Amino acid sequence: MGFRQAWKILLITLLSYCIIQSYYCNASDTILQSQKLLVGETLTSASQVFELGFFIPVNSDKRYLGIWFKNIPPLKVVWVANRESPLKVSDSAASVSISKNGNLVLADGTQNVIWSSNVSVPTNITVEVVLLDSGNLVLKDNVSGQSFFESFDYPCDTFLPGMKVGFNRKTGERWLLSSWHKENDPSPGNFSIGISEQLSPQFFVWNKSTPYYRTGEWNGLKFIGLPYIDSAAYIVQFVFQQEFQEGTTYFTFLPNTSFLTFVELQSTGSVQVVQWTDGCPAWEIYAKMVHAPCDIYNTCGPSAVCSKNKFPICSCLIGFVPRSSDEWSKGNWTGGCVRRTKLLCQPKGNTTSIGVGQQDGFLKFSGLKLPDLAAIFRLDSASECERLCLNNCSCTAYAYVAGIRCMVWSGDLLDIQDYSYAGEDLFLRLAYSELGQKRKGARSFSLGDSCNISKDYTMESFYLGNLKKEDPIELPLIEFEVIATATNNFKVDNKLGEGGFGPVFKGKLKGGPEIAVKRLSNRTGQGIEEFKNEIVLISKLQHRNLVRLLGCCIEGEELLIIYEYMPNRSLDKFLFDASQKELLDWPKRFNIIQGVARGLLYLHRDSCLNIIHRDLKVSNILLDEEMNPKISDFGLARTFQKQQQLVHTHRVAGT
């Protein structure tokens, strides 16, 4: 028997075997009614983007059926079928198939149904299950294409292009993301994401049933509670859809041909946008919302404002006082604030009992995240919106926002945040006596003391010797006593290290975050220029790969700068320690390289001030809790003009 004949016999044998065993054989992206998917087998979407199969989370003793991105490390599972009904790891005989009633079912090794698509399927058709390149798993009629079940209608913790987050008013159905319970436990966790039922909806993160975070309303281009993100900068191109006949209202987002991307709700309640570009070794976190105290819903209580750039972070609105002064002084702000003077609430034009012109009016507050629970009216002008509010005794404030129009609040004003720039204008209704000589639109809101408007006996002398009055500083002034308490009086045990400027101490603000404090404690002239550089230049910069400055202190003989605390310290602690450097695998190293490069690109080209660092070394690259790099120590930095291609420095400095 020749080679050709032997080859033909082998080929025929293999084909025959597959036909006989068609119960188990399956197409690469499809399960037919005669087939099963077993443990160890997978479906792969047509373009090799997604894969469906059985997986075991790290350090878990449970097995799940899920969908994940194919061949992109680390494994990112985007959907889990049996979140609440896991299989035992020892059950290697589990299978996925189409049942007699047309549903997709997951059965354990003893053929007990663990999970089912649980939809109504006509008995006179033939159905199939297909894994699409979008990541959507679809149970459909293989003739007409009508779908009966789609995994996109049952999201887990991952928002993919083409998915919906929203609701159907007619059916009561809601499309929500829900977090994993833990990193290795896909069962539903405490946090979920959905949208509000209002004319201009907003995304909410809920902790169980309690609001945890919100984005602010959608104005057609962006969410107004995220003022620092320009509409053109959204890597996730959101699309808002309202289909009145069907009763659906939802957000989706468009796929990008240049890279893969998704939005993930983590088990901690944080939200991150993740992307992967062809050729990259791993996923890259494009943006992460780790919610600071002011981002947590209604941190300061009713009629109060939260400011990240102030300590304490909570302040009552003008015309309001703390509901409980005792609780407020202890840092418990949940009770919020109450009006100091009751409203007279006379409709405009009715002045018979209060005298001409002495009716309630409005005070303008600028640069805010507007309160929650606004009623929205499609009025054509701000003056109409003002009139609507003034003629309604229950109206406490209004705003007129492009793309949304008239926003009106009744009762308490919840979840207000102050921004150092951007934000919206809020017109607060106050009694005439609270307005004084400053009427509607004549006064803007300002929070607390900043470095350039602080105590004369400290700052004035520092300005005379070191700063110009026009030098813009945007850091809050924190009193020395507060910092001393936070660092346990600069206890040696809290010392993180020491540089040319002075020692650095770890601390924790009362009711606030962990901090790192850099201290220069004498006025010999050493470090003054570096201190000025930090508080003038770097206070204006915001980038995820630059260490964030939280405040400054200039009091008596003390100069201090307060930074966000970086739990993994500096990069040199890992690179030059034999045991620690083993923790830096290639993906982590590559992420650090990319992060430092992004930070430098921002400094050199994209920031409002073009800056040369001049002291970039591994000890000045700090690492956060997830080993993301942040450039620090700008004491030797200097600016250059945008048109300059070459800059000469006047002395040797740093590296």
Side-chain angles (χ1 to χ4, degrees):
M1 182 168 55
F3 176 80
R4 283 188 181 177
Q5 190 173 0
W7 176 252
K8 287 180 181 178
I9 292 172
L10 178 60
L11 183 59
I12 291 170
T13 302
L14 289 173
L15 289 173
S16 300
Y17 180 81
C18 209
I19 291 170
I20 293 169
Q21 299 294 329
S22 61
Y23 190 70
Y24 299 103
C25 296
N26 56 74
S28 61
D29 65 348
T30 305
I31 300 176
L32 301 176
Q33 283 185 302
S34 59
Q35 298 171 341
K36 279 189 176 182
L37 185 76
L38 304 177
V39 173
E41 299 177 339
T42 62
L43 292 189
T44 304
S45 66
S47 296
Q48 307 284 302
V49 181
F50 288 96
E51 201 166 28
L52 175 139
F54 292 91
F55 73 98
I56 302 171
V58 177
N59 298 324
S60 174
D61 59 354
K62 298 178 175 64
R63 192 189 301 272
Y64 298 87
L65 176 69
I67 299 171
W68 57 84
F69 284 97
K70 183 178 175 66
N71 294 331
I72 305 177
L75 181 73
K76 170 52 190 168
V77 176
V78 300
W79 184 76
V80 182
N82 57 323
R83 302 181 74 179
E84 299 179 76
S85 305
L87 296 160
K88 295 180 180 178
V89 170
S90 58
D91 190 350
S92 59
S95 62
V96 181
S97 62
I98 298 173
S99 66
K100 291 180 180 179
N101 66 9
N103 273 279
L104 179 67
V105 296
L106 166 64
D108 63 16
T110 59
Q111 298 306 301
N112 291 317
V113 174
I114 300 300
W115 173 87
S116 169
S117 56
N118 196 28
V119 291
S120 178
V121 180
T123 57
N124 60 341
I125 64 169
T126 303
V127 294
E128 63 183 12
V129 174
V130 180
L131 178 60
L132 304 179
D133 281 328
S134 62
N136 195 7
L137 186 68
V138 180
L139 174 69
K140 65 186 182 72
D141 180 348
N142 66 0
V143 176
S144 69
Q146 179 187 0
S147 65
F148 303 103
F149 169 86
E150 298 184 23
S151 61
F152 271 18
D153 289 334
Y154 304 89
C156 292
D157 67 331
T158 305
F159 192 17
L160 293 171
M163 271 187 174
K164 295 179 289 190
V165 173
F167 53 86
N168 186 316
R169 282 192 176 89
K170 291 184 177 180
T171 65
E173 185 180 9
R174 297 187 70 86
W175 302 290
L176 303 172
L177 300 184
S178 60
S179 68
W180 286 24
H181 184 66
K182 294 179 182 177
E183 286 188 4
N184 65 344
D185 182 358
S187 63
N190 291 333
F191 294 94
S192 60
I193 289 181
I195 64 171
S196 59
E197 296 189 27
Q198 58 189 123
L199 280 177
S200 297
Q202 52 186 326
F203 273 104
F204 269 86
V205 177
W206 289 284
N207 184 350
K208 297 180 180 178
S209 59
T210 303
Y212 178 70
Y213 171 80
R214 66 186 181 95
T215 61
E217 288 79 1
W218 177 254
N219 69 0
L221 294 174
K222 66 177 185 176
F223 299 100
I224 62 172
L226 301 174
Y228 302 124
I229 305 179
D230 185 81
S231 57
Y234 278 101
I235 188 174
V236 176
Q237 296 295 318
F238 285 105
V239 177
F240 177 55
Q241 298 282 353
Q242 280 187 309
E243 298 168 357
F244 294 103
Q245 288 188 344
E246 296 182 8
T248 58
T249 299
Y250 60 90
F251 280 96
T252 185
F253 74 94
L254 303 176
N256 193 303
T257 56
S258 301
F259 47 77
L260 298 174
T261 188
F262 61 86
V263 179
E264 179 183 35
L265 173 62
Q266 298 184 295
S267 59
T268 58
S270 294
V271 180
Q272 62 183 20
V273 180
V274 185
Q275 71 173 42
W276 179 82
T277 305
D278 191 22
C280 288
W283 292 106
E284 177 187 8
I285 297 174
Y286 177 81
K288 184 169 184 175
M289 286 169 270
V290 182
H291 303 131
C294 283
D295 294 323
I296 305 301
Y297 187 86
N298 205 32
T299 290
C300 296
S303 304
V305 182
C306 195
S307 175
K308 295 177 182 178
N309 294 325
K310 185 186 175 187
F311 187 82
I313 57 175
C314 293
S315 297
C316 289
L317 288 165
I318 293 172
F320 289 74
V321 294
R323 186 181 300 273
S324 169
S325 298
D326 182 52
E327 291 296 315
W328 195 270
S329 64
K330 294 176 182 177
N332 180 5
W333 305 299
T334 54
C337 306
V338 294
R339 285 188 183 274
R340 184 164 44 207
T341 305
K342 289 185 178 181
L343 298 173
L344 292 173
C345 194
Q346 295 289 329
K348 194 171 184 178
N350 183 358
T351 59
T352 54
S353 61
I354 58 174
V356 177
Q358 294 193 11
Q359 61 196 40
D360 300 338
F362 295 98
L363 194 63
K364 178 181 176 181
F365 295 79
S366 298
L368 298 183
K369 179 179 183 178
L370 295 177
D372 191 20
L373 304 177
I376 296 173
F377 298 89
R378 301 302 195 195
L379 301 180
D380 293 329
S381 68
S383 59
E384 289 182 77
C385 191
E386 178 198 348
R387 189 160 51 250
L388 173 70
C389 184
L390 196 59
N391 289 329
N392 182 349
C393 284
S394 65
C395 179
T396 53
Y398 79 90
Y400 197 83
V401 180
I404 299 175
R405 295 196 271 190
C406 182
M407 304 176 69
V408 172
W409 288 267
S410 300
D412 289 332
L413 302 175
L414 307 179
D415 193 38
I416 308 173
Q417 187 176 158
D418 172 60
Y419 297 119
S420 57
Y421 63 91
E424 304 293 338
D425 294 339
L426 177 73
F427 294 88
L428 176 66
R429 187 181 199 141
L430 292 174
Y432 180 82
S433 60
E434 293 286 358
L435 294 169
Q437 300 300 313
K438 301 191 177 186
R439 304 297 292 162
K440 175 187 60 131
R443 185 175 176 184
S444 291
F445 184 63
S446 176
L447 281 176
D449 289 337
S450 292
C451 284
N452 58 334
I453 53 170
S454 55
K455 299 178 180 178
D456 290 341
Y457 75 92
T458 57
M459 281 302 289
E460 187 63 30
S461 60
F462 186 71
Y463 266 120
L464 290 174
N466 302 283
L467 295 177
K468 299 176 183 177
K469 282 289 187 181
E470 62 269 20
D471 281 333
I473 305 172
E474 299 180 359
L475 288 176
L477 181 71
I478 302 178
E479 293 182 359
F480 180 79
E481 182 180 347
V482 172
I483 301 172
T485 301
T487 59
N488 198 7
N489 289 317
F490 303 97
K491 191 175 180 181
V492 174
D493 292 349
N494 288 336
K495 188 173 178 180
L496 298 173
E498 187 158 358
F501 180 90
V504 180
F505 296 87
K506 180 183 176 181
K508 190 177 191 308
L509 294 172
K510 183 180 178 181
E514 288 188 312
I515 57 173
V517 180
K518 186 185 288 188
R519 183 187 194 193
L520 176 67
S521 58
N522 60 70
R523 296 295 179 87
T524 63
Q526 177 69 31
I528 295 291
E529 187 65 28
E530 289 81 356
F531 181 87
K532 171 187 171 181
N533 257 1
E534 295 257 7
I535 66 171
V536 174
L537 298 182
I538 312 308
S539 64
K540 295 183 67 64
L541 304 180
Q542 291 191 13
H543 191 272
R544 58 187 170 135
N545 294 116
L546 303 184
V547 170
R548 189 159 60 95
L549 274 66
L550 304 179
C552 61
C553 175
I554 302 171
E555 194 166 315
E557 294 296 309
E558 297 285 352
L559 292 178
L560 302 105
I561 306 177
I562 298 86
Y563 306 86
E564 62 177 326
Y565 175 66
M566 304 293 284
N568 279 314
R569 313 281 283 275
S570 56
L571 181 57
D572 61 324
K573 300 295 190 298
F574 286 86
L575 290 179
F576 305 133
D577 184 292
S579 59
Q580 294 291 311
K581 70 179 181 181
E582 299 299 325
L583 300 175
L584 290 179
D585 56 20
W586 172 241
K588 285 189 178 71
R589 289 172 185 257
F590 189 74
N591 180 62
I592 291 169
I593 293 167
Q594 282 187 311
V596 174
R598 279 193 299 262
L600 287 176
L601 182 64
Y602 172 77
L603 291 172
H604 292 177
R605 191 188 70 183
D606 298 333
S607 66
C608 54
L609 299 170
N610 291 73
I611 290 174
I612 312 169
H613 187 279
R614 297 206 302 170
D615 199 17
L616 189 64
K617 52 190 177 185
V618 289
S619 60
N620 286 338
I621 297 170
L622 305 186
L623 302 168
D624 68 11
E625 68 276 6
E626 295 185 350
M627 299 295 285
N628 295 310
K630 299 196 178 188
I631 300 170
S632 70
D633 203 340
F634 289 82
L636 300 180
R638 60 166 294 186
T639 60
F640 63 95
Q641 300 299 317
K642 289 186 180 290
Q643 68 272 18
Q644 285 183 278
Q645 299 297 317
L646 178 68
V647 181
H648 293 285
T649 59
H650 302 295
R651 61 187 174 97
V652 176
T655 54

